[in-house]
Amino acid sequence: MTEHRASRSDGYHFIQIVTSERLLESPAPMATTPEKKVRRSRAEQRAATEKLILDTAEDLFSQRGYFGVTIKDVADAMGIHPALIHYYHDGKQSLFEAVWERRVELAVSARIAGLDDYANAVGDNVTIEGALRAFYDNAFDAYIHGEEGWRSFGRIFAQVNNAPGYGTELMDEYFDPLVLRLIELLKKAVPDASDEDLFWCFQLTSGAYTLILSRTGRIDRLSNGACSSDDFQAVRERFVTFMAAGFAAVFAASKKKDAPQSS
């Protein structure tokens, strides 16, 4: 029998289809001899259901973007009633924020650790390549060694970084302080560089980084299979070297332009 329970969310009532949550639990196989059943606690069941909701939503958001996914889409992909998702989240924005926040704290802490370790190791002897490697290498490690969900999160990060409105707010909150920390390190490496050059160089680097996280498959087609947009290890081996050379070239060009012209 289906059990119905009234719940309140955002000032309205909906019916929670409790059966949907129970269906997410895999049925125990029939045994020929009596076995002691191991039942998960209610808290464990809730945690498992929430993880499945977030995993499914993360995959869909990564493919279709924020505006291309509905609560019903997530429910349909899971084979459950949308009311069950409303039981855990007030709406799509709440669900998206939960997907984002599940990984973003680790993403931020990895970059903080990289910058801290580098700054402590070199003191004032900062280099452009060293600062960029401290900022990006740990980030790439998550996409190389982490579970598949990290790659889905990478696509979501790319969408957020390139989206006005809701994207701007999330980047301001979580990543702008990190970027400013990187800029301060780069100023130690090139103290005569202008703020204009520093921020434009970061903008160009950030754009390339988020294109890589998007994994569009274009490089696969252009290279006739020589390169794969899923090959984060190949990217990691080249990204900072390439970007550091670009930073250095921009700074050198500006310095040459500003130098007094001989008569």
Side-chain angles (χ1 to χ4, degrees):
M1 178 180 296
T2 301
E3 176 186 346
H4 298 276
R5 181 185 307 156
S7 301
R8 177 176 294 274
S9 179
D10 285 343
Y12 65 91
H13 287 87
F14 63 86
I15 301 300
Q16 178 198 1
I17 310 301
V18 178
T19 301
S20 298
E21 186 168 12
R22 290 174 180 167
L23 288 175
L24 295 175
E25 301 298 313
S26 300
M30 295 182 65
T32 56
T33 58
E35 293 183 3
K36 183 178 180 181
K37 293 184 178 180
V38 179
R39 296 182 62 87
R40 290 193 290 184
S41 69
R42 188 64 177 166
E44 290 172 332
Q45 292 178 23
R46 285 175 58 85
T49 301
E50 171 69 342
K51 182 180 186 304
L52 186 54
I53 290 172
L54 294 181
D55 287 347
T56 305
E58 183 175 60
D59 181 60
L60 290 175
F61 281 131
S62 75
Q63 296 180 51
R64 306 180 191 175
Y66 177 80
F67 295 106
V69 177
T70 66
I71 292 290
K72 186 176 184 302
D73 291 333
V74 180
D76 288 348
M78 296 176 65
I80 63 174
H81 194 283
L84 179 60
I85 297 178
H86 281 290
Y87 180 74
Y88 287 85
H89 300 280
D90 291 339
K92 186 172 77 169
Q93 182 174 344
S94 169
L95 177 59
F96 183 83
E97 289 173 354
V99 168
W100 171 262
E101 290 171 0
R102 180 171 63 156
R103 299 193 194 275
V104 74
E105 294 293 346
L106 185 56
V108 169
S109 64
R111 293 199 183 193
I112 291 174
L115 292 173
D116 285 346
D117 290 346
Y118 179 69
N120 292 334
V122 303
D124 291 330
N125 300 315
V126 178
T127 66
I128 297 171
E129 182 169 350
L132 291 177
R133 200 166 294 286
F135 190 77
Y136 284 107
D137 274 6
N138 284 352
F140 279 122
D141 283 346
Y143 304 120
I144 295 169
H145 303 296
E147 62 178 343
E148 182 60 28
W150 273 103
R151 298 189 174 204
S152 295
F153 175 78
R155 278 181 169 157
I156 293 171
F157 177 91
Q159 295 165 12
V160 168
N161 192 43
N162 290 284
Y166 78 95
T168 301
E169 295 174 2
L170 291 175
M171 295 305 293
D172 286 353
E173 179 179 357
Y174 289 96
F175 287 96
D176 282 8
L178 282 175
V179 173
L180 295 176
R181 176 101 182 272
L182 171 63
I183 295 296
E184 289 305 311
L185 275 177
L186 289 169
K187 286 181 177 180
K188 290 186 177 181
V190 277
D192 55 344
S194 68
D195 283 355
E196 183 181 11
D197 279 345
L198 285 165
F199 283 100
W200 273 121
C201 284
F202 174 78
Q203 179 81 343
L204 297 171
T205 303
S206 180
Y209 177 69
T210 51
L211 175 61
I212 289 163
L213 296 187
S214 297
R215 294 183 294 130
T216 64
R218 188 181 183 205
I219 192 173
D220 309 53
R221 298 186 295 275
L222 285 172
S223 68
N224 197 28
C227 304
S228 170
S229 57
D230 288 325
D231 190 351
F232 282 102
Q233 182 61 43
V235 173
R236 190 182 190 274
E237 292 169 359
R238 295 165 172 82
F239 184 82
V240 168
T241 301
F242 180 84
M243 292 301 168
F247 271 68
V250 168
F251 298 149
S254 291
K255 189 173 183 179
K256 183 177 179 180
K257 183 178 67 175
D258 295 338
Q261 300 296 316
S262 55
S263 57

